Amino acid sequence: MTKDLLKNKEFDLVSVIYNASQAAETCSQYIKDAEGDQEVERFFNDVIDSNSNLVQKGKDLLKDRI
């Protein structure tokens, strides 16, 4: 029974949405730390964009399933 509770696709989607959101938020701080190094700033911005896209896609998938 416990295994079934842990294999819940909706929970998994929420988990990925949360972790992608956290990664984007963390990179916002990293951008401040990288101030003046445009290449590193650009990389962190790319990470934010990628994770933001994943968050939105996850939300859309979750919305369709609940």
Side-chain angles (χ1 to χ4, degrees):
M1 176 109 174
T2 302
K3 279 187 173 183
D4 292 336
L5 291 175
L6 296 176
K7 287 189 171 189
N8 180 311
K9 69 183 174 206
E10 289 82 9
F11 175 83
D12 296 343
L13 283 168
V14 169
S15 181
V16 170
I17 291 166
Y18 172 79
N19 285 298
S21 295
Q22 288 298 108
E25 183 67 29
T26 299
C27 280
S28 294
Q29 178 60 47
Y30 293 167
I31 288 172
K32 294 175 189 171
D33 295 342
E35 187 176 330
D37 188 334
Q38 292 180 347
E39 187 175 17
V40 174
E41 287 180 44
R42 204 168 18 256
F43 170 75
F44 290 139
N45 276 311
D46 289 346
V47 173
I48 290 170
D49 291 344
S50 295
N51 279 287
S52 295
N53 289 334
L54 291 171
V55 167
Q56 188 57 55
K57 186 172 182 176
K59 285 179 177 179
D60 292 343
L61 288 168
L62 187 61
K63 179 179 66 174
D64 294 340
R65 283 158 180 77
I66 56 174

Short mmCIF file of all heavy atoms in Angstrom, two decimals:
data_model
loop_
_atom_site.label_atom_id
_atom_site.label_comp_id
_atom_site.label_asym_id
_atom_site.label_seq_id
_atom_site.Cartn_x
_atom_site.Cartn_y
_atom_site.Cartn_z
N MET A 1 0.82 -1.20 0.00
CA MET A 1 0.00 0.00 0.00
C MET A 1 0.86 1.25 0.00
O MET A 1 0.56 2.18 -0.72
CB MET A 1 -0.93 -0.04 1.22
CG MET A 1 -1.75 1.20 1.36
SD MET A 1 -3.44 0.85 0.97
CE MET A 1 -4.18 2.36 1.38
N THR A 2 1.92 1.30 0.78
CA THR A 2 2.78 2.48 0.84
C THR A 2 3.40 2.77 -0.53
O THR A 2 3.49 3.92 -0.93
CB THR A 2 3.89 2.29 1.88
OG1 THR A 2 3.28 2.04 3.14
CG2 THR A 2 4.74 3.53 2.00
N LYS A 3 3.79 1.71 -1.24
CA LYS A 3 4.37 1.92 -2.56
C LYS A 3 3.40 2.63 -3.49
O LYS A 3 3.79 3.47 -4.28
CB LYS A 3 4.79 0.58 -3.18
CG LYS A 3 6.10 0.06 -2.70
CD LYS A 3 6.49 -1.16 -3.49
CE LYS A 3 7.88 -1.59 -3.13
NZ LYS A 3 8.34 -2.72 -3.92
N ASP A 4 2.12 2.28 -3.41
CA ASP A 4 1.12 2.92 -4.25
C ASP A 4 1.00 4.41 -3.94
O ASP A 4 0.82 5.22 -4.83
CB ASP A 4 -0.23 2.25 -4.09
CG ASP A 4 -0.25 0.84 -4.66
OD1 ASP A 4 0.58 0.55 -5.55
OD2 ASP A 4 -1.09 0.04 -4.22
N LEU A 5 1.11 4.76 -2.67
CA LEU A 5 1.02 6.17 -2.30
C LEU A 5 2.21 6.96 -2.83
O LEU A 5 2.10 8.13 -3.16
CB LEU A 5 0.94 6.32 -0.78
CG LEU A 5 -0.35 5.83 -0.13
CD1 LEU A 5 -0.23 5.91 1.39
CD2 LEU A 5 -1.54 6.63 -0.61
N LEU A 6 3.38 6.32 -2.87
CA LEU A 6 4.57 7.01 -3.34
C LEU A 6 4.65 7.08 -4.86
O LEU A 6 5.39 7.87 -5.40
CB LEU A 6 5.82 6.31 -2.79
CG LEU A 6 5.96 6.35 -1.28
CD1 LEU A 6 7.17 5.54 -0.84
CD2 LEU A 6 6.08 7.77 -0.78
N LYS A 7 3.88 6.26 -5.54
CA LYS A 7 3.88 6.26 -7.00
C LYS A 7 2.65 7.00 -7.52
O LYS A 7 1.85 6.47 -8.27
CB LYS A 7 3.90 4.82 -7.53
CG LYS A 7 5.21 4.14 -7.37
CD LYS A 7 5.21 2.83 -8.10
CE LYS A 7 6.60 2.24 -8.11
NZ LYS A 7 6.68 1.07 -8.98
N ASN A 8 2.51 8.20 -7.13
CA ASN A 8 1.37 9.02 -7.50
C ASN A 8 1.85 10.06 -8.49
O ASN A 8 2.61 10.96 -8.14
CB ASN A 8 0.79 9.66 -6.24
CG ASN A 8 -0.40 10.52 -6.51
OD1 ASN A 8 -0.37 11.36 -7.41
ND2 ASN A 8 -1.45 10.34 -5.75
N LYS A 9 1.40 9.96 -9.73
CA LYS A 9 1.90 10.87 -10.76
C LYS A 9 1.59 12.33 -10.47
O LYS A 9 2.39 13.21 -10.81
CB LYS A 9 1.40 10.46 -12.14
CG LYS A 9 -0.08 10.66 -12.34
CD LYS A 9 -0.52 10.16 -13.69
CE LYS A 9 -2.03 10.26 -13.77
NZ LYS A 9 -2.61 9.34 -14.67
N GLU A 10 0.47 12.59 -9.82
CA GLU A 10 0.16 13.98 -9.49
C GLU A 10 1.14 14.53 -8.46
O GLU A 10 1.61 15.65 -8.57
CB GLU A 10 -1.28 14.11 -8.98
CG GLU A 10 -2.34 13.92 -10.05
CD GLU A 10 -2.66 12.45 -10.34
OE1 GLU A 10 -2.19 11.56 -9.60
OE2 GLU A 10 -3.39 12.20 -11.31
N PHE A 11 1.45 13.72 -7.46
CA PHE A 11 2.45 14.12 -6.48
C PHE A 11 3.80 14.34 -7.15
O PHE A 11 4.50 15.30 -6.85
CB PHE A 11 2.58 13.06 -5.37
CG PHE A 11 3.68 13.38 -4.40
CD1 PHE A 11 3.47 14.26 -3.36
CD2 PHE A 11 4.94 12.80 -4.55
CE1 PHE A 11 4.50 14.57 -2.47
CE2 PHE A 11 5.97 13.10 -3.67
CZ PHE A 11 5.75 13.99 -2.63
N ASP A 12 4.16 13.45 -8.06
CA ASP A 12 5.43 13.58 -8.77
C ASP A 12 5.47 14.87 -9.58
O ASP A 12 6.50 15.56 -9.60
CB ASP A 12 5.64 12.38 -9.70
CG ASP A 12 5.77 11.07 -8.95
OD1 ASP A 12 6.01 11.09 -7.72
OD2 ASP A 12 5.62 10.02 -9.60
N LEU A 13 4.37 15.21 -10.22
CA LEU A 13 4.32 16.48 -10.96
C LEU A 13 4.50 17.66 -10.03
O LEU A 13 5.26 18.59 -10.33
CB LEU A 13 2.99 16.60 -11.72
CG LEU A 13 2.87 15.80 -13.00
CD1 LEU A 13 1.42 15.78 -13.49
CD2 LEU A 13 3.79 16.35 -14.08
N VAL A 14 3.82 17.65 -8.89
CA VAL A 14 3.96 18.74 -7.92
C VAL A 14 5.40 18.83 -7.45
O VAL A 14 5.96 19.93 -7.33
CB VAL A 14 3.00 18.54 -6.72
CG1 VAL A 14 3.32 19.51 -5.59
CG2 VAL A 14 1.56 18.70 -7.17
N SER A 15 6.02 17.70 -7.21
CA SER A 15 7.41 17.68 -6.76
C SER A 15 8.34 18.31 -7.79
O SER A 15 9.21 19.12 -7.46
CB SER A 15 7.84 16.24 -6.46
OG SER A 15 9.16 16.21 -6.01
N VAL A 16 8.16 17.95 -9.05
CA VAL A 16 9.00 18.51 -10.11
C VAL A 16 8.74 20.01 -10.26
O VAL A 16 9.67 20.80 -10.42
CB VAL A 16 8.79 17.77 -11.44
CG1 VAL A 16 9.46 18.49 -12.59
CG2 VAL A 16 9.31 16.34 -11.33
N ILE A 17 7.48 20.40 -10.19
CA ILE A 17 7.14 21.83 -10.27
C ILE A 17 7.83 22.59 -9.14
O ILE A 17 8.43 23.64 -9.36
CB ILE A 17 5.60 22.03 -10.22
CG1 ILE A 17 4.96 21.50 -11.49
CG2 ILE A 17 5.25 23.49 -9.98
CD1 ILE A 17 3.45 21.34 -11.40
N TYR A 18 7.75 22.05 -7.94
CA TYR A 18 8.37 22.70 -6.79
C TYR A 18 9.89 22.81 -6.97
O TYR A 18 10.47 23.89 -6.77
CB TYR A 18 8.06 21.92 -5.51
CG TYR A 18 8.83 22.41 -4.31
CD1 TYR A 18 8.43 23.56 -3.64
CD2 TYR A 18 9.98 21.77 -3.89
CE1 TYR A 18 9.15 24.04 -2.56
CE2 TYR A 18 10.71 22.24 -2.80
CZ TYR A 18 10.29 23.38 -2.14
OH TYR A 18 11.02 23.86 -1.09
N ASN A 19 10.52 21.71 -7.35
CA ASN A 19 11.98 21.72 -7.49
C ASN A 19 12.45 22.62 -8.62
O ASN A 19 13.48 23.31 -8.48
CB ASN A 19 12.51 20.29 -7.64
CG ASN A 19 12.48 19.56 -6.33
OD1 ASN A 19 13.14 19.96 -5.38
ND2 ASN A 19 11.69 18.51 -6.24
N ALA A 20 11.72 22.67 -9.72
CA ALA A 20 12.08 23.57 -10.81
C ALA A 20 11.90 25.02 -10.37
O ALA A 20 12.72 25.88 -10.72
CB ALA A 20 11.24 23.26 -12.05
N SER A 21 10.86 25.29 -9.60
CA SER A 21 10.65 26.65 -9.07
C SER A 21 11.79 27.05 -8.14
O SER A 21 12.28 28.18 -8.20
CB SER A 21 9.33 26.72 -8.30
OG SER A 21 8.24 26.51 -9.14
N GLN A 22 12.20 26.13 -7.28
CA GLN A 22 13.30 26.40 -6.36
C GLN A 22 14.60 26.66 -7.13
O GLN A 22 15.37 27.54 -6.77
CB GLN A 22 13.47 25.23 -5.39
CG GLN A 22 12.37 25.13 -4.36
CD GLN A 22 12.31 26.35 -3.47
OE1 GLN A 22 11.39 27.16 -3.58
NE2 GLN A 22 13.27 26.51 -2.61
N ALA A 23 14.84 25.88 -8.17
CA ALA A 23 16.05 26.07 -8.97
C ALA A 23 16.07 27.45 -9.61
O ALA A 23 17.10 28.13 -9.63
CB ALA A 23 16.17 24.97 -10.03
N ALA A 24 14.93 27.87 -10.14
CA ALA A 24 14.84 29.20 -10.75
C ALA A 24 15.08 30.29 -9.71
O ALA A 24 15.82 31.25 -9.96
CB ALA A 24 13.47 29.39 -11.42
N GLU A 25 14.50 30.12 -8.55
CA GLU A 25 14.68 31.10 -7.48
C GLU A 25 16.14 31.16 -7.03
O GLU A 25 16.70 32.24 -6.82
CB GLU A 25 13.77 30.74 -6.29
CG GLU A 25 13.84 31.73 -5.15
CD GLU A 25 13.28 33.10 -5.51
OE1 GLU A 25 12.38 33.16 -6.36
OE2 GLU A 25 13.76 34.10 -4.94
N THR A 26 16.76 30.01 -6.89
CA THR A 26 18.17 29.96 -6.48
C THR A 26 19.05 30.65 -7.51
O THR A 26 19.98 31.39 -7.16
CB THR A 26 18.61 28.49 -6.29
OG1 THR A 26 17.80 27.92 -5.26
CG2 THR A 26 20.06 28.40 -5.89
N CYS A 27 18.77 30.43 -8.79
CA CYS A 27 19.59 31.06 -9.83
C CYS A 27 19.43 32.57 -9.84
O CYS A 27 20.35 33.28 -10.26
CB CYS A 27 19.26 30.47 -11.20
SG CYS A 27 20.07 28.88 -11.47
N SER A 28 18.31 33.06 -9.36
CA SER A 28 18.15 34.52 -9.24
C SER A 28 19.20 35.09 -8.29
O SER A 28 19.76 36.16 -8.54
CB SER A 28 16.74 34.86 -8.73
OG SER A 28 15.77 34.51 -9.67
N GLN A 29 19.46 34.37 -7.22
CA GLN A 29 20.52 34.80 -6.29
C GLN A 29 21.89 34.64 -6.95
O GLN A 29 22.77 35.49 -6.79
CB GLN A 29 20.46 33.99 -4.99
CG GLN A 29 21.56 34.35 -4.00
CD GLN A 29 21.52 35.82 -3.59
OE1 GLN A 29 20.46 36.35 -3.26
NE2 GLN A 29 22.66 36.48 -3.62
N TYR A 30 22.08 33.55 -7.66
CA TYR A 30 23.37 33.30 -8.31
C TYR A 30 23.70 34.39 -9.33
O TYR A 30 24.86 34.75 -9.51
CB TYR A 30 23.38 31.94 -9.00
CG TYR A 30 23.32 30.76 -8.07
CD1 TYR A 30 23.04 29.50 -8.57
CD2 TYR A 30 23.53 30.87 -6.69
CE1 TYR A 30 22.99 28.38 -7.73
CE2 TYR A 30 23.47 29.77 -5.86
CZ TYR A 30 23.21 28.53 -6.39
OH TYR A 30 23.16 27.44 -5.57
N ILE A 31 22.68 34.93 -9.99
CA ILE A 31 22.91 36.02 -10.95
C ILE A 31 23.51 37.22 -10.24
O ILE A 31 24.43 37.86 -10.75
CB ILE A 31 21.60 36.40 -11.68
CG1 ILE A 31 21.23 35.29 -12.66
CG2 ILE A 31 21.73 37.74 -12.40
CD1 ILE A 31 19.86 35.46 -13.29
N LYS A 32 23.01 37.52 -9.06
CA LYS A 32 23.57 38.63 -8.28
C LYS A 32 25.03 38.35 -7.93
O LYS A 32 25.86 39.24 -7.99
CB LYS A 32 22.75 38.84 -7.01
CG LYS A 32 21.34 39.31 -7.25
CD LYS A 32 20.55 39.38 -5.95
CE LYS A 32 19.09 39.64 -6.23
NZ LYS A 32 18.28 39.50 -5.01
N ASP A 33 25.32 37.09 -7.60
CA ASP A 33 26.70 36.72 -7.26
C ASP A 33 27.62 36.80 -8.48
O ASP A 33 28.82 37.05 -8.32
CB ASP A 33 26.75 35.29 -6.71
CG ASP A 33 26.02 35.14 -5.39
OD1 ASP A 33 25.76 36.17 -4.72
OD2 ASP A 33 25.69 34.00 -5.02
N ALA A 34 27.07 36.61 -9.67
CA ALA A 34 27.88 36.60 -10.89
C ALA A 34 27.96 37.97 -11.55
O ALA A 34 28.48 38.10 -12.66
CB ALA A 34 27.29 35.60 -11.88
N GLU A 35 27.49 38.98 -10.87
CA GLU A 35 27.45 40.33 -11.43
C GLU A 35 28.79 40.70 -12.06
O GLU A 35 29.85 40.55 -11.46
CB GLU A 35 27.10 41.34 -10.33
CG GLU A 35 26.87 42.74 -10.86
CD GLU A 35 26.43 43.68 -9.76
OE1 GLU A 35 25.78 43.24 -8.80
OE2 GLU A 35 26.76 44.88 -9.88
N GLY A 36 28.71 41.15 -13.31
CA GLY A 36 29.91 41.55 -14.03
C GLY A 36 30.45 40.48 -14.96
O GLY A 36 31.22 40.77 -15.86
N ASP A 37 30.05 39.22 -14.77
CA ASP A 37 30.48 38.14 -15.66
C ASP A 37 29.27 37.77 -16.52
O ASP A 37 28.45 36.94 -16.15
CB ASP A 37 30.96 36.93 -14.84
CG ASP A 37 31.59 35.85 -15.69
OD1 ASP A 37 31.24 35.75 -16.90
OD2 ASP A 37 32.42 35.10 -15.16
N GLN A 38 29.17 38.42 -17.68
CA GLN A 38 27.98 38.28 -18.52
C GLN A 38 27.73 36.85 -18.98
O GLN A 38 26.57 36.43 -19.10
CB GLN A 38 28.08 39.22 -19.72
CG GLN A 38 27.99 40.67 -19.33
CD GLN A 38 28.09 41.60 -20.52
OE1 GLN A 38 28.46 41.18 -21.61
NE2 GLN A 38 27.73 42.85 -20.30
N GLU A 39 28.79 36.11 -19.22
CA GLU A 39 28.61 34.73 -19.68
C GLU A 39 27.95 33.87 -18.59
O GLU A 39 27.02 33.10 -18.87
CB GLU A 39 29.96 34.13 -20.08
CG GLU A 39 29.85 32.77 -20.72
CD GLU A 39 31.19 32.25 -21.21
OE1 GLU A 39 32.25 32.77 -20.79
OE2 GLU A 39 31.17 31.30 -22.01
N VAL A 40 28.38 34.04 -17.36
CA VAL A 40 27.80 33.28 -16.25
C VAL A 40 26.37 33.78 -15.98
O VAL A 40 25.46 32.97 -15.76
CB VAL A 40 28.68 33.36 -14.98
CG1 VAL A 40 28.00 32.70 -13.80
CG2 VAL A 40 30.03 32.71 -15.25
N GLU A 41 26.17 35.09 -16.03
CA GLU A 41 24.83 35.63 -15.85
C GLU A 41 23.87 35.07 -16.90
O GLU A 41 22.74 34.69 -16.59
CB GLU A 41 24.84 37.15 -15.95
CG GLU A 41 25.47 37.85 -14.76
CD GLU A 41 25.45 39.36 -14.91
OE1 GLU A 41 24.41 39.92 -15.33
OE2 GLU A 41 26.47 39.99 -14.59
N ARG A 42 24.34 35.01 -18.14
CA ARG A 42 23.53 34.47 -19.24
C ARG A 42 23.17 33.01 -18.98
O ARG A 42 22.05 32.58 -19.19
CB ARG A 42 24.29 34.64 -20.56
CG ARG A 42 23.43 34.68 -21.78
CD ARG A 42 24.14 35.13 -23.07
NE ARG A 42 25.59 35.07 -23.10
CZ ARG A 42 26.41 36.14 -22.99
NH1 ARG A 42 25.89 37.34 -22.84
NH2 ARG A 42 27.71 36.00 -23.04
N PHE A 43 24.15 32.23 -18.49
CA PHE A 43 23.91 30.83 -18.18
C PHE A 43 22.81 30.70 -17.11
O PHE A 43 21.86 29.92 -17.26
CB PHE A 43 25.18 30.14 -17.68
CG PHE A 43 24.93 28.77 -17.13
CD1 PHE A 43 24.67 27.69 -17.97
CD2 PHE A 43 24.93 28.56 -15.76
CE1 PHE A 43 24.43 26.43 -17.44
CE2 PHE A 43 24.69 27.31 -15.22
CZ PHE A 43 24.44 26.24 -16.07
N PHE A 44 22.93 31.49 -16.04
CA PHE A 44 21.92 31.41 -14.98
C PHE A 44 20.55 31.86 -15.48
O PHE A 44 19.52 31.29 -15.10
CB PHE A 44 22.35 32.23 -13.76
CG PHE A 44 23.50 31.64 -13.00
CD1 PHE A 44 24.51 32.45 -12.51
CD2 PHE A 44 23.60 30.28 -12.78
CE1 PHE A 44 25.58 31.91 -11.79
CE2 PHE A 44 24.67 29.72 -12.07
CZ PHE A 44 25.66 30.54 -11.58
N ASN A 45 20.52 32.85 -16.36
CA ASN A 45 19.25 33.26 -16.96
C ASN A 45 18.66 32.14 -17.81
O ASN A 45 17.44 31.94 -17.82
CB ASN A 45 19.42 34.54 -17.79
CG ASN A 45 19.33 35.78 -16.94
OD1 ASN A 45 18.42 35.93 -16.14
ND2 ASN A 45 20.29 36.67 -17.08
N ASP A 46 19.51 31.42 -18.52
CA ASP A 46 19.03 30.27 -19.31
C ASP A 46 18.44 29.20 -18.40
O ASP A 46 17.43 28.59 -18.72
CB ASP A 46 20.17 29.67 -20.15
CG ASP A 46 20.59 30.55 -21.30
OD1 ASP A 46 19.86 31.50 -21.65
OD2 ASP A 46 21.69 30.28 -21.86
N VAL A 47 19.09 28.97 -17.26
CA VAL A 47 18.57 27.99 -16.29
C VAL A 47 17.21 28.43 -15.78
O VAL A 47 16.28 27.63 -15.68
CB VAL A 47 19.57 27.78 -15.13
CG1 VAL A 47 18.95 26.90 -14.04
CG2 VAL A 47 20.87 27.17 -15.63
N ILE A 48 17.08 29.72 -15.47
CA ILE A 48 15.80 30.25 -15.02
C ILE A 48 14.73 30.05 -16.08
O ILE A 48 13.62 29.57 -15.79
CB ILE A 48 15.91 31.74 -14.63
CG1 ILE A 48 16.74 31.88 -13.35
CG2 ILE A 48 14.53 32.38 -14.45
CD1 ILE A 48 17.11 33.31 -13.01
N ASP A 49 15.05 30.39 -17.33
CA ASP A 49 14.08 30.23 -18.42
C ASP A 49 13.67 28.77 -18.59
O ASP A 49 12.48 28.46 -18.74
CB ASP A 49 14.66 30.76 -19.74
CG ASP A 49 14.80 32.27 -19.76
OD1 ASP A 49 14.19 32.95 -18.90
OD2 ASP A 49 15.54 32.77 -20.62
N SER A 50 14.65 27.87 -18.58
CA SER A 50 14.35 26.44 -18.74
C SER A 50 13.46 25.93 -17.62
O SER A 50 12.47 25.23 -17.87
CB SER A 50 15.64 25.62 -18.77
OG SER A 50 16.41 25.93 -19.90
N ASN A 51 13.81 26.29 -16.40
CA ASN A 51 13.01 25.84 -15.26
C ASN A 51 11.63 26.48 -15.25
O ASN A 51 10.65 25.82 -14.89
CB ASN A 51 13.76 26.08 -13.95
CG ASN A 51 14.78 25.01 -13.70
OD1 ASN A 51 14.43 23.89 -13.37
ND2 ASN A 51 16.04 25.33 -13.88
N SER A 52 11.53 27.72 -15.65
CA SER A 52 10.22 28.37 -15.73
C SER A 52 9.33 27.67 -16.75
O SER A 52 8.13 27.47 -16.51
CB SER A 52 10.38 29.85 -16.09
OG SER A 52 11.06 30.53 -15.08
N ASN A 53 9.92 27.27 -17.87
CA ASN A 53 9.16 26.52 -18.88
C ASN A 53 8.71 25.17 -18.33
O ASN A 53 7.57 24.74 -18.58
CB ASN A 53 9.99 26.32 -20.15
CG ASN A 53 10.17 27.61 -20.92
OD1 ASN A 53 9.37 28.53 -20.84
ND2 ASN A 53 11.26 27.69 -21.67
N LEU A 54 9.57 24.50 -17.59
CA LEU A 54 9.21 23.22 -16.98
C LEU A 54 8.10 23.40 -15.95
O LEU A 54 7.17 22.57 -15.88
CB LEU A 54 10.43 22.56 -16.32
CG LEU A 54 11.50 22.06 -17.28
CD1 LEU A 54 12.74 21.63 -16.49
CD2 LEU A 54 10.97 20.92 -18.13
N VAL A 55 8.16 24.46 -15.17
CA VAL A 55 7.12 24.73 -14.19
C VAL A 55 5.78 24.91 -14.90
O VAL A 55 4.77 24.31 -14.51
CB VAL A 55 7.46 25.98 -13.34
CG1 VAL A 55 6.25 26.46 -12.55
CG2 VAL A 55 8.62 25.69 -12.40
N GLN A 56 5.77 25.69 -15.95
CA GLN A 56 4.51 25.94 -16.67
C GLN A 56 3.98 24.66 -17.30
O GLN A 56 2.78 24.36 -17.21
CB GLN A 56 4.68 27.02 -17.73
CG GLN A 56 3.38 27.44 -18.36
CD GLN A 56 2.37 27.93 -17.32
OE1 GLN A 56 2.66 28.83 -16.53
NE2 GLN A 56 1.19 27.34 -17.30
N LYS A 57 4.85 23.88 -17.92
CA LYS A 57 4.41 22.63 -18.53
C LYS A 57 3.88 21.68 -17.46
O LYS A 57 2.86 21.02 -17.65
CB LYS A 57 5.57 21.97 -19.29
CG LYS A 57 5.15 20.76 -20.06
CD LYS A 57 6.25 20.24 -20.95
CE LYS A 57 5.75 19.05 -21.74
NZ LYS A 57 6.74 18.57 -22.70
N GLY A 58 4.57 21.61 -16.32
CA GLY A 58 4.10 20.77 -15.22
C GLY A 58 2.74 21.20 -14.71
O GLY A 58 1.87 20.37 -14.44
N LYS A 59 2.54 22.51 -14.58
CA LYS A 59 1.25 23.03 -14.14
C LYS A 59 0.15 22.65 -15.12
O LYS A 59 -0.95 22.26 -14.72
CB LYS A 59 1.29 24.55 -14.01
CG LYS A 59 2.02 25.06 -12.80
CD LYS A 59 1.98 26.59 -12.83
CE LYS A 59 2.62 27.22 -11.64
NZ LYS A 59 2.57 28.70 -11.72
N ASP A 60 0.45 22.78 -16.41
CA ASP A 60 -0.53 22.42 -17.43
C ASP A 60 -0.88 20.94 -17.36
O ASP A 60 -2.06 20.56 -17.45
CB ASP A 60 -0.01 22.76 -18.82
CG ASP A 60 0.12 24.27 -19.06
OD1 ASP A 60 -0.49 25.06 -18.30
OD2 ASP A 60 0.85 24.65 -20.00
N LEU A 61 0.13 20.09 -17.19
CA LEU A 61 -0.11 18.65 -17.08
C LEU A 61 -0.93 18.33 -15.83
O LEU A 61 -1.86 17.52 -15.88
CB LEU A 61 1.21 17.89 -17.05
CG LEU A 61 2.00 17.83 -18.35
CD1 LEU A 61 3.41 17.31 -18.10
CD2 LEU A 61 1.26 16.97 -19.37
N LEU A 62 -0.58 18.98 -14.74
CA LEU A 62 -1.29 18.74 -13.48
C LEU A 62 -2.74 19.19 -13.57
O LEU A 62 -3.66 18.48 -13.16
CB LEU A 62 -0.57 19.46 -12.34
CG LEU A 62 -1.08 19.19 -10.94
CD1 LEU A 62 -0.94 17.71 -10.58
CD2 LEU A 62 -0.31 20.04 -9.93
N LYS A 63 -2.94 20.37 -14.16
CA LYS A 63 -4.29 20.92 -14.30
C LYS A 63 -5.19 19.96 -15.09
O LYS A 63 -6.36 19.79 -14.76
CB LYS A 63 -4.22 22.28 -15.00
CG LYS A 63 -5.56 22.95 -15.24
CD LYS A 63 -5.39 24.29 -15.90
CE LYS A 63 -4.83 24.07 -17.29
NZ LYS A 63 -4.75 25.27 -18.10
N ASP A 64 -4.63 19.32 -16.10
CA ASP A 64 -5.40 18.39 -16.92
C ASP A 64 -5.72 17.08 -16.21
O ASP A 64 -6.53 16.29 -16.69
CB ASP A 64 -4.65 18.08 -18.22
CG ASP A 64 -4.52 19.29 -19.13
OD1 ASP A 64 -5.29 20.27 -18.95
OD2 ASP A 64 -3.65 19.28 -20.01
N ARG A 65 -5.06 16.85 -15.06
CA ARG A 65 -5.20 15.56 -14.39
C ARG A 65 -5.93 15.64 -13.04
O ARG A 65 -6.14 14.62 -12.42
CB ARG A 65 -3.82 14.94 -14.22
CG ARG A 65 -3.36 14.36 -15.54
CD ARG A 65 -1.87 14.20 -15.63
NE ARG A 65 -1.51 13.63 -16.93
CZ ARG A 65 -1.48 14.30 -18.08
NH1 ARG A 65 -1.80 15.57 -18.10
NH2 ARG A 65 -1.13 13.70 -19.20
N ILE A 66 -6.25 16.84 -12.61
CA ILE A 66 -6.98 16.93 -11.33
C ILE A 66 -8.30 17.65 -11.52
O ILE A 66 -8.60 18.19 -12.51
CB ILE A 66 -6.17 17.61 -10.21
CG1 ILE A 66 -5.69 19.00 -10.62
CG2 ILE A 66 -5.01 16.76 -9.83
CD1 ILE A 66 -5.02 19.76 -9.50
#
